[in-house]
Amino acid sequence: AQSVSQHNHHVILSEAASLELGCNYSYGGTVNLFWYVQYPGQHLQLLLKYFSGDPLVKGIKGFEAEFIKSKFSFNLRKPSVQWSDTAEYFCAVTWIKAAGNKLTFGGGTRVLVKP
Amino acid sequence: DAGVTQSPTHLIKTRGQQVTLRCSPKSGHDTVSWYQQALGQGPQFIFQYYEEEERQRGNFPDRFSGHQFPNYSSELNVNALLLGDSALYLCASSLPTGMGYTFGSGTRLTVV
């Protein structure tokens, strides 16, 4: 079965520190890749997505992600975090098939940014 | 505004009861997917509806069933509730291509 794994369950860092969250997915052909963020008490929001083209994708709120096909990875980065980036982050993948394109999530990484 | 509307927002049920959760998709979206998010875990795919048919199903028992109406809205039904069904249930709408999903705020179900 196809799967998505996120390496870190919890990350604690100080404001202005750099953030990198790892995401790997299992082989299964062509994929669409997503990062979602869930702020406390709020719904899942799309940070960025990759379908094709430039493997370095820029999203909202200063986030970016790099697709490395050979490593089946799609890591999320932010050069300088703010307290407001405290949230849970989910990597998600869709394996493109003839019918049905369900979104498969990783287990999430809970990020706490200390002021 | 998430664009996807779910109701109710919170629900408490007793073991063995049945529950129905509702979802209205974002305008222009015709595909609805349901997810279960247990505490501390990522959302798990339950099933997806398109053209009023179940198109894909995750690893959930038959106690979980759904329906999609002609206006694309959807219901998730869970029968014979177990304590382990306590979770946040998320609805996501999209186009059939799967190139973009919009999530609702979810229904928090507590089974006691």
Side-chain angles (χ1 to χ4, degrees), chain A residues 4-108:
Chain A
V4 180
S5 61
Q6 293 182 237
H7 313 301
N8 308 98
H9 296 294
H10 292 90
V11 171
I12 301 174
L13 60 168
S14 300
E15 276 192 312
S18 64
L19 173 69
E20 179 160 0
L21 303 181
C23 173
N24 286 89
Y25 60 93
S26 59
Y27 174 76
T30 304
V31 292
N32 289 337
L33 301 162
F34 306 83
W35 274 98
Y36 283 88
V37 61
Q38 191 171 36
Y39 298 104
Q42 295 189 26
H43 61 273
L44 283 165
Q45 297 176 37
L46 182 66
L47 274 178
L48 47 79
K49 59 189 177 186
Y50 173 80
F51 296 153
S52 63
D54 188 344
L56 187 60
V57 181
K58 294 195 183 301
I60 62 171
K61 303 179 190 248
F63 285 91
E64 64 179 30
E66 185 177 11
F67 170 51
I68 303 179
K69 188 175 181 180
S70 61
K71 294 185 178 181
F72 302 97
S73 71
F74 190 55
N75 293 350
L76 180 72
R77 298 194 291 252
K78 185 170 184 177
S80 177
V81 296
Q82 301 173 324
W83 175 79
S84 58
D85 292 321
T86 293
E88 190 154 20
Y89 294 80
F90 294 96
C91 178
V93 179
T94 295
W95 284 267
I96 307 305
K97 299 179 181 180
N101 293 298
K102 69 175 186 179
L103 199 56
T104 300
F105 285 85

Side-chain angles (χ1 to χ4, degrees), chain A residues 38 51 90 100-103, chain B residues 35 37 45 56 96-97 99 101:
Chain A
Q38 191 171 36
F51 296 153
F90 294 96
N101 293 298
K102 69 175 186 179
L103 199 56
Chain B
Y35 290 82
Q37 187 178 14
F45 176 76
Q56 271 191 303
T97 55
M99 297 183 80
Y101 292 80

Side-chain angles (χ1 to χ4, degrees), chain B residues 21-35:
Chain B
L21 310 181
R22 295 177 176 83
C23 172
S24 294
K26 179 179 177 178
S27 178
H29 285 180
D30 56 7
T31 301
V32 174
S33 303
W34 286 93
Y35 290 82

Side-chain angles (χ1 to χ4, degrees), chain B residues 55-88:
Chain B
R55 187 162 76 160
Q56 271 191 303
R57 187 178 182 91
N59 190 25
F60 278 80
D62 292 344
R63 298 187 298 109
F64 289 78
S65 63
H67 189 76
Q68 186 179 34
F69 299 94
N71 67 353
Y72 308 127
S73 67
S74 177
E75 289 182 348
L76 163 65
N77 300 292
V78 187
N79 294 322
L81 284 167
L82 304 174
L83 295 179
D85 295 331
S86 295
L88 180 68

Side-chain angles (χ1 to χ4, degrees), chain B residues 3-26:
Chain B
V4 174
T5 304
Q6 290 188 244
S7 63
T9 54
H10 295 82
L11 203 52
I12 300 175
K13 289 286 190 178
T14 305
R15 274 181 300 175
Q17 285 189 315
Q18 178 264 344
V19 69
T20 297
L21 310 181
R22 295 177 176 83
C23 172
S24 294
K26 179 179 177 178

